[in-house]
Amino acid sequence: MKYKHKNFKGKILNVSVKKVRLPNGYLANIEIVKHPGAVLIVPLLRKNKIIMLRQFRPVINSYIYELPAGTLEKGESPAACAHREIIEETGYKSSKFTKLGSIIPVPGYSTEKIFIYKAQNLIKTKQLQQKDEVIETFVFTKKQVKKMFKEGKIIDAKTICAFALCGWL
């Protein structure tokens, strides 16, 4: 396959085409989306109550339920990003973050790695929502989250992974 353009540099993503030799010897053209990485936060108000977002995602032209998350800024640590994003998206800050793990959501074409944190000891503060984000916050119980998942109302892959890591699904 011939490619007209081999590279694209965007605000967040860089896309390139590269030839790589696979372990079986085959020379393949691969398309790579280079992503700086991200964090996702599981914000627990109490043991059985969680803050979730209903966020408009223009790429799919739809609102979806998800946990707060955001892209790492240049030079920013995942922990610092988690502290920043929870305030921006929920209006709460946390004095206790616990790393639950990490995921690679789309290894077939992207370098993105998402670090997943649990946030506890939440304190209400001013929400610093970005202009390009349309977000509503909701509080759900574990039972409600499980029901929403079974009904197909939670479809965001990173959110589903985070719930699995913290034992909510």
Side-chain angles (χ1 to χ4, degrees):
M1 172 183 250
K2 284 213 172 225
Y3 292 90
K4 275 187 170 184
H5 304 286
K6 296 224 180 212
N7 295 300
F8 166 80
K9 246 183 148 84
K11 182 179 150 191
I12 297 172
L13 306 173
N14 294 327
V15 181
S16 61
V17 177
K18 183 178 175 182
K19 283 190 184 296
V20 297
R21 185 144 327 262
L22 302 179
N24 66 0
Y26 181 76
L27 189 61
N29 280 319
I30 61 169
E31 298 167 359
I32 303 170
V33 176
K34 291 190 179 173
H35 188 286
V39 300
L40 178 139
I41 304 106
V42 179
L44 294 173
L45 279 173
R46 287 184 285 290
K47 183 180 174 187
N48 193 40
K49 291 208 176 190
I50 195 163
I51 299 170
M52 284 192 74
L53 312 177
R54 181 176 176 264
Q55 184 165 354
F56 182 73
R57 292 298 189 170
V59 172
I60 61 171
N61 193 33
S62 185
Y63 283 90
I64 62 172
Y65 287 101
E66 58 187 293
L67 292 169
T71 303
L72 292 167
E73 293 179 356
K74 189 173 180 130
E76 184 178 40
S77 72
C81 184
H83 282 272
R84 176 177 54 80
E85 284 294 335
I86 194 170
I87 293 169
E88 285 180 12
E89 295 193 347
T90 70
Y92 283 84
K93 60 183 178 178
S94 171
S95 62
K96 183 179 179 188
F97 282 90
T98 306
K99 186 176 176 188
L100 298 176
S102 61
I103 60 169
I104 300 175
V106 285
Y109 60 85
S110 176
T111 63
E112 182 179 18
K113 183 175 189 177
I114 301 174
F115 300 89
I116 300 172
Y117 289 87
K118 177 171 62 174
Q120 296 171 285
N121 302 341
L122 301 182
I123 301 162
K124 188 73 175 141
T125 187
K126 185 178 179 199
Q127 190 173 2
L128 301 172
Q129 198 172 86
Q130 304 294 307
K131 289 181 182 179
D132 64 348
E133 294 178 322
V134 180
I135 295 172
E136 297 172 84
T137 58
F138 292 89
V139 175
F140 294 114
T141 64
K142 190 174 190 176
K143 185 177 179 180
Q144 288 171 311
V145 166
K146 284 183 177 189
K147 183 176 188 263
M148 290 169 65
F149 175 70
K150 286 180 184 172
E151 292 173 347
K153 292 180 180 172
I154 299 175
I155 59 170
D156 177 58
K158 67 188 182 307
T159 294
I160 293 167
C161 290
F163 279 137
L165 281 171
C166 70
W168 273 52
L169 290 182

